[in-house]
């Protein structure tokens, strides 16, 4: 399965912060925002990722991840000259996907939950069309909303409805089979001139190949696309890390536990940042893994 991180867009909700760069490069406590969606793809078992970004920021992302080999991955980059909707990611990334299944995550979405990694890997393994996730929220009218029947089957999908049929919002994380590029090519722009992800999901639903997985109360989902939510995300990460002594979205540690790199390589990556608490955490994690290489809670096991 391939992975795509959509890190384009103008970040207009975060102005003037985004006048000087992409919101996905903004800090969420101790690391760039994009570390968190990348870590979710990694926890799903994906080691081949495409980052889609504005031309001005491509080289900045390349400075962060290079070609991905340091993490035992393959990371590529593609330009999106202007926002054309979430579904445009499948057209920009068509060469990357190359007819394989893929996972798409928005670059400003953060997820955390002890059982989430296991859920993601199982969902990827059982994919039969497309999978969207449902997360219970207090104000569903602000999001795409999924309606399910009494048996938990997906019935309808609405985009920011005035009168939501449920309180299950659809986060910015989706799994698709190898037909998604063809479906995206057949879309027409919406009245706002964009290719809508909702239309892709509805196409799968019309074919009876769309499933919804409820994330449940044990999973936290944050959309860090506004000033308030960006601050909330930073506070959430800080509080979890301070209370539990773990690092959320630590891509070096996750690469090690997923088997993309070994503990020695992980320790080297941490040593390069040893002047920072983050680097020292990576080094400690590598030493701990050398002593106790059994599966860790980071993998939801």
């Amino acid at each position: 399965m391939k992975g795509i991180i959509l890190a384009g867009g103008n970040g207009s909700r975060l102005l003037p912060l985004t006048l000087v760069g992409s919101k996905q490069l903004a800090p969420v406590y101790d690391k760039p925002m994009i570390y968190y969606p990348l870590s979710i793809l990694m926890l799903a078992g994906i080691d081949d990722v495409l980052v889609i970004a504005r031309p001005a920021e491509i080289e900045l992302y390349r400075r962060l991840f290079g070609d991905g080999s340091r993490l035992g991955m393959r990371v590529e980059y593609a330009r999106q000259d202007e926002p054309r909707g979430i579904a445009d990611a499948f057209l920009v990334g068509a060469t990357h996907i190359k007819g394989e299944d893929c996972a798409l995550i928005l670059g400003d979405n953060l997820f955390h939950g002890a059982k989430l990694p296991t859920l993601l890997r199982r969902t990827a393994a059982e994919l039969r069309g497309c999978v969207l996730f449902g997360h219970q929220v207090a104000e569903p009218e602000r999001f795409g909303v999924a309606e399910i029947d009494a048996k938990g089957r997906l019935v309808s999908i609405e985009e920011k409805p005035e009168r939501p049929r449920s309180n299950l919002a659809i986060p910015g994380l989706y799994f698709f089979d190898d037909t998604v590029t063809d479906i995206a090519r057949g879309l027409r722009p919406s009245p706002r001139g964009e290719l809508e992800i909702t239309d892709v999901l509805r196409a799968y639903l019309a074919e009876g190949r769309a499933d919804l997985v409820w994330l449940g109360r044990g999973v936290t989902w944050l959309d860090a696309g506004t000033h308030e939510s960006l601050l909330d995300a930073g506070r959430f990460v800080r509080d979890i890390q301070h209370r539990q002594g773990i690092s959320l979205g630590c891509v070096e540690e996750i690469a090690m536990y997923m088997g993309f790199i070994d503990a020695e390589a992980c320790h080297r990556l941490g040593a390069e940042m040893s002047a920072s608490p983050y680097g020292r955490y990576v080094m400690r994690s590598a030493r701990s893994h050398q002593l106790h290489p059994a599966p860790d809670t980071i993998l939801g096991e």
Side-chain angles (χ1 to χ4, degrees):
M1 175 174 281
K2 301 291 186 70
I4 297 177
I5 302 176
L6 185 55
N10 294 323
S12 56
R13 292 183 298 167
L14 282 172
L15 288 171
L17 175 64
T18 47
L19 287 175
V20 294
S22 166
K23 66 180 174 181
Q24 290 85 6
L25 292 170
V28 176
Y29 188 52
D30 61 345
K31 58 190 76 71
M33 185 189 295
I34 197 171
Y35 273 44
Y36 300 93
L38 176 61
S39 71
I40 290 299
L41 296 181
M42 295 169 69
L43 287 169
I46 297 170
D47 61 4
D48 193 341
V49 174
L50 177 71
V51 176
I52 298 176
R54 297 185 302 185
E57 279 99 32
I58 288 288
E59 290 307 313
L60 297 178
Y61 288 112
R62 201 183 302 275
R63 285 178 60 184
L64 275 180
F65 306 123
D67 64 0
S69 59
R70 287 159 56 85
L71 295 172
M73 302 176 64
R74 180 182 181 186
V75 179
E76 297 180 320
Y77 307 88
R79 290 172 167 81
Q80 187 182 50
D81 297 329
E82 60 183 35
R84 291 187 292 267
I86 295 174
D88 184 53
F90 304 116
L91 304 183
V92 175
T95 301
H96 173 76
I97 297 171
K98 292 179 181 177
E100 296 187 34
D101 297 346
C102 71
L104 171 67
I105 188 167
L106 304 188
D108 59 1
N109 275 226
L110 288 72
F111 299 86
H112 175 65
K115 302 297 183 182
L116 182 59
T118 300
L119 176 65
L120 293 175
R121 293 195 295 275
R122 184 173 68 243
T123 300
E126 298 174 354
L127 183 66
R128 67 177 190 91
C130 87
V131 170
L132 55 151
F133 296 87
H135 193 276
Q136 187 171 317
V137 297
E139 299 176 295
E141 63 274 9
R142 295 173 49 219
F143 306 97
V145 174
E147 179 190 8
I148 57 176
D149 62 18
K151 295 183 179 180
R153 293 174 298 199
L154 185 63
V155 174
S156 72
I157 301 165
E158 299 177 285
E159 183 64 27
K160 297 181 181 178
E162 292 184 6
R163 297 182 179 180
R165 298 178 183 178
S166 81
N167 60 355
L168 284 179
I170 304 172
L173 173 64
Y174 320 88
F175 288 6
F176 296 96
D177 70 4
D178 58 1
T179 66
V180 67
T181 302
D182 292 334
I183 290 175
R185 287 192 178 110
L187 296 181
R188 294 183 178 181
S190 67
R192 62 176 183 166
E194 296 189 356
L195 300 180
E196 305 290 352
I197 190 66
T198 306
D199 290 336
V200 175
L201 300 175
R202 285 173 177 158
Y204 277 97
L205 181 60
E207 296 174 359
R209 298 192 300 126
D211 296 313
L212 180 133
V213 173
W214 184 45
L215 291 177
R217 295 185 178 182
V219 174
T220 298
W221 164 49
L222 299 169
D223 174 351
T226 67
H227 296 102
E228 286 297 320
S229 61
L230 179 61
L231 180 60
D232 288 343
R235 287 172 171 167
F236 175 80
V237 171
R238 179 200 62 189
D239 290 347
I240 292 291
Q241 294 188 171
H242 285 193
R243 292 173 184 175
Q244 299 185 14
I246 61 175
S247 181
L248 304 189
C250 180
V251 295
E252 296 85 1
E253 180 182 37
I254 294 171
M256 176 181 64
Y257 277 107
M258 291 300 299
F260 298 169
I261 59 175
D262 59 24
E264 182 178 350
C266 182
H267 190 275
R268 285 198 303 270
L269 294 175
E272 294 174 3
M273 300 178 284
S274 61
S276 71
Y278 180 87
R280 294 192 291 273
Y281 172 85
V282 172
M283 294 168 68
R284 289 196 304 273
S285 180
R287 288 194 293 265
S288 176
H289 188 61
Q290 286 176 319
L291 296 173
H292 307 287
D296 190 85
T297 53
I298 194 172
L299 301 182
E301 298 173 348

